[in-house]
Amino acid sequence: MSEHPSEQRHTLAVIVGSTREGRFAPVIANWFTRHAETHPHIDVDVIDLDAVGPYTLRPGTEAYESFAKRVDQADAFVVITPEYNHSFPAPLKHAIDLLRSPWQAKPVGFVSYGGISGGLRAVEQLRLVFAELHATTVRETVSFALPGDPFDERGELRDPAPAAKAADALLRQLTWWALALREARLARPYGA
């Protein structure tokens, strides 16, 4: 008898999209990563673009190949993005554009933050980018308006319940799509 879908292991790459000095992204990433790790069938791989240095990556180099392999091995993605000037960070766009086939036929979810919109304008633009790469974005998101308010000085949410509920909904959708698309890619390789 096969495993229930929610019991099948899969790899979730959490991409931390901000590289600015003084960024708030690590606070959000740490919270989300800890939460995702409470889901026992998800293996989390955090890809922090500040450490990756997308503008330094060149095809054929060890750093490029390492980044490409991590993206290729992921079954699903969560992009953590701020909103800068109604959009997402340039290093994030550059990192996405470095690869093509490793994104294809895989689901992408978003955790966003910034201003009163909670980063949702950045997410809407990222949906267009990932659609062009033949990735599937999921509806559920987690967003933090004015992110300095809900988090305390230790990086903990003052009221974790609403964000945890949103993250669980996001992770449930990603799990369904990750497993369905992985099975589909194994049965019939995706060709865009």
Side-chain angles (χ1 to χ4, degrees), residues 147-166:
D149 293 344
F151 287 90
D152 65 21
E153 61 282 347
R154 295 167 304 154
E156 300 293 332
L157 282 166
R158 290 182 171 88
D159 180 10
K165 182 178 178 182

Side-chain angles (χ1 to χ4, degrees), residues 5-91:
S6 65
E7 296 173 356
Q8 294 179 29
R9 296 198 74 76
H10 61 284
T11 299
L12 173 67
V14 176
I15 299 173
V16 184
S18 174
T19 62
R20 279 190 180 179
E21 187 175 336
R23 64 197 176 130
F24 197 75
V27 174
I28 306 264
N30 290 338
W31 167 80
F32 182 78
T33 300
R34 285 192 313 268
H35 187 80
E37 288 171 342
T38 67
H39 292 248
H41 305 292
I42 298 175
D43 296 319
V44 179
D45 178 20
V46 178
I47 303 174
D48 187 344
L49 295 186
D50 191 50
V52 169
Y55 292 122
T56 66
L57 298 180
R58 300 287 179 267
T61 64
E62 185 177 335
Y64 177 92
E65 297 305 324
S66 173
F67 173 66
K69 181 178 180 182
R70 290 171 76 185
V71 172
D72 190 51
Q73 290 179 338
D75 296 302
F77 306 96
V78 164
V79 176
I80 297 178
T81 185
E83 182 179 313
Y84 297 154
N85 301 317
H86 287 216
S87 190
F88 54 91

Side-chain angles (χ1 to χ4, degrees), residues 161-182:
K165 182 178 178 182
D168 287 338
L170 169 63
L171 291 167
R172 278 193 303 273
Q173 283 189 351
L174 279 173
T175 293
W176 190 92
W177 280 103
L179 297 175
L181 290 174
R182 183 173 68 189

